Amino acid sequence: MEENLFVNYINEDYIKEYYLEKIQYKSGIGIDKINKKSFKDNLEKYSHYIVKKINNNTYKFTQYREILISKGRNKHPRVISIPTIKDKITLTILKDILYDLFNSDLENNPVKTIINNIKDTVDRNEFDYYIKLDLKKFYDSLDHKYLLSKVSEKITKPELLNLIVKSIKTPTIEMNEPKKGRKKKNDIGVPQGLPISNILANIYFIDFDKKHIHSNRYKYFRYVDDILILCKKKDADKIKNTISNELTDKLTFNLELHDEKKKEGDITQGFSYLGYLIKNNKLSVRDTSLHKLELAIEELFVEYKNSQQKNLKLLIWKLNIKITGIIDTESKTKYGWVIFFSQINNTGVLRHLDRLVTKLIHRFNLEKKINENNLEVKKFLRTYYEVNFRLNKTNYIFKPAKYNLDDKKKLLNETFKMKVDNWDEDTVNYRFKKIIHDSIKDLEKDLQNSTSG
């Protein structure tokens, strides 16, 4: 299987097609400063280079470009690594190969499934205590030796193994830092933000997840670096110590726990996990998660007020995307705050958000203009019912795949003020997909803010 995957993925025709369909809208500029247009103009050359270098085992990753993401006041920022476009293609294909090989072994449940399982467990009243563990500097602490030992259980081809080794050892530097010379290779950790970061982290935990997920004495849940255990109070200390010792064992996982983020208590008192609040058999949204979305919504109105163009259609379009999210029917992927929190059974929070939007429209004196332009402002509560009861039939939630060429032109022209009259179909499609990609990035940022902390 490994050899077949290598042949199918590492060939010039596949790489060119893959770039045009999946990468060109998502590529940021790396340290080499090669942009999307330049790369596309030389796609033939780069595709040949990638295949040739991988096959003769001489492929080298360019140092990753550093982006710092704020985690809040008095906290060190999160370091995100941005590869060059060439490297992003290689890393994304490598991710797909890893997924195909390891998927059957991974406990890679979506948040919806995890939250459902937690609620079902709580509802059965089997356990009366919870323990939450958080791993400190998770990606930065993954041990290369242990990680590669797990990867090599299914990958034996030297060309693929060397790619993985090189990808995790390549340093991340500031944009202007190449002039100062190269940094030393990484000896520990997996750079965050790479296409392979998440799959490698999950491979790292394969044995640990399998061991604890099948326990009869407690229920174990993990999502990236957040671990939740539901158990009997009388067993809590023993379970907590056992799991903590395994995670910090220098000979295997060699990780460090965030002591200040460690939480435990009676289930009846309620607890939060992945942005959800679970209390009294109710699923709601954690206060801090709600507050972060409120700020994100208000920022849209402030941005509109401070803009010179005062593009009302663009404001309402961005607002509606934030409310309903996006359903990509082609990839069968759904993005958005309500979609993520669709498991809640306390809809009061959605009514609160709808009232907030109404107040902001009033505060910024936009009611009249919205009515005059016949603009529809979507509702959080309506979105919740569409997600839960009409997901396959709904036209209320934005679905890019339903837009034909004329629809795309109209959106680009009327909402984004682009002069599309002389554009060919490829240009229209490119601009449209780029907007969708940027919108999805904003939705993912909302969710990251809502589930962190």
Side-chain angles (χ1 to χ4, degrees), residues 133-254:
L133 302 175
D134 183 271
L135 294 166
K136 193 173 185 179
K137 296 181 180 179
F138 175 58
Y139 286 97
D140 297 337
S141 303
L142 298 180
D143 183 82
H144 285 185
K145 184 178 179 180
Y146 182 78
L147 173 62
L148 294 172
S149 73
K150 303 314 299 177
V151 168
S152 60
E153 289 178 5
K154 298 225 173 165
I155 292 185
T156 58
K157 197 170 180 62
E159 295 89 336
L160 292 177
L161 275 175
N162 286 338
L163 273 183
I164 294 170
V165 171
K166 290 174 182 177
S167 71
I168 62 177
K169 289 192 176 295
T170 298
T172 300
I173 62 175
E174 296 178 15
M175 193 69 167
N176 60 353
E177 204 171 313
K179 299 174 184 177
K180 302 177 184 178
R182 297 180 66 88
K183 274 191 174 181
K184 291 182 179 179
K185 291 182 178 179
N186 294 329
D187 292 324
I188 189 170
V190 172
Q192 289 190 61
L194 301 183
I196 60 168
S197 300
N198 290 340
I199 184 74
L200 288 178
N202 281 326
I203 290 170
Y204 197 89
F205 266 91
I206 283 177
D207 289 346
F208 189 87
D209 287 341
K210 281 184 177 178
K211 176 180 179 180
H212 293 287
I213 206 164
H214 297 298
S215 171
N216 294 322
R217 294 173 52 235
Y218 52 87
K219 279 290 184 180
Y220 161 90
F221 306 92
R222 182 184 67 84
Y223 188 80
V224 192
D225 56 352
D226 290 318
I227 294 173
L228 172 69
I229 299 144
L230 303 180
C231 61
K232 302 258 188 200
K233 188 172 183 177
K234 62 183 178 65
D235 300 326
D237 286 341
K238 186 175 181 180
I239 293 168
K240 179 176 59 179
N241 291 335
T242 298
I243 290 178
S244 297
N245 289 337
E246 286 182 30
L247 290 169
T248 56
D249 185 349
K250 300 292 184 185
L251 298 177
T252 52
F253 300 106
N254 198 21

Side-chain angles (χ1 to χ4, degrees), residues 19 32 72 122 139 187 221-222 251 311 388 446:
Y19 171 78
D32 62 0
V122 171
Y139 286 97
D187 292 324
F221 306 92
R222 182 184 67 84
L251 298 177
N311 187 343
N388 282 290
D446 289 341

Side-chain angles (χ1 to χ4, degrees), residues 81-143:
S81 302
I82 306 298
T84 63
I85 297 175
K86 168 183 68 67
D87 289 343
K88 182 161 190 174
I89 295 172
T90 304
L91 289 165
T92 306
I93 290 174
L94 188 57
K95 176 202 71 175
D96 290 346
I97 292 174
L98 285 167
Y99 186 83
D100 286 346
L101 289 172
F102 283 92
N103 184 40
S104 61
D105 294 315
L106 296 174
E107 296 293 341
N108 197 23
N109 289 324
V111 170
K112 180 177 180 179
T113 302
I114 293 173
I115 295 298
N116 268 339
N117 290 340
I118 292 171
K119 185 176 186 301
D120 288 345
T121 303
V122 171
D123 287 347
R124 288 196 298 269
N125 293 317
E126 294 177 39
F127 306 112
D128 57 4
Y129 206 74
Y130 75 90
I131 302 166
K132 283 175 60 180
L133 302 175
D134 183 271
L135 294 166
K136 193 173 185 179
K137 296 181 180 179
F138 175 58
Y139 286 97
D140 297 337
S141 303
L142 298 180
D143 183 82

Side-chain angles (χ1 to χ4, degrees), residues 59-75:
Y59 189 97
K60 290 184 179 179
F61 290 93
T62 304
Q63 296 174 110
Y64 305 129
R65 177 167 68 91
E66 176 186 276
I67 288 183
L68 300 178
I69 305 295
S70 174
K71 294 167 65 177
R73 187 178 299 173
N74 300 324
K75 294 182 180 179

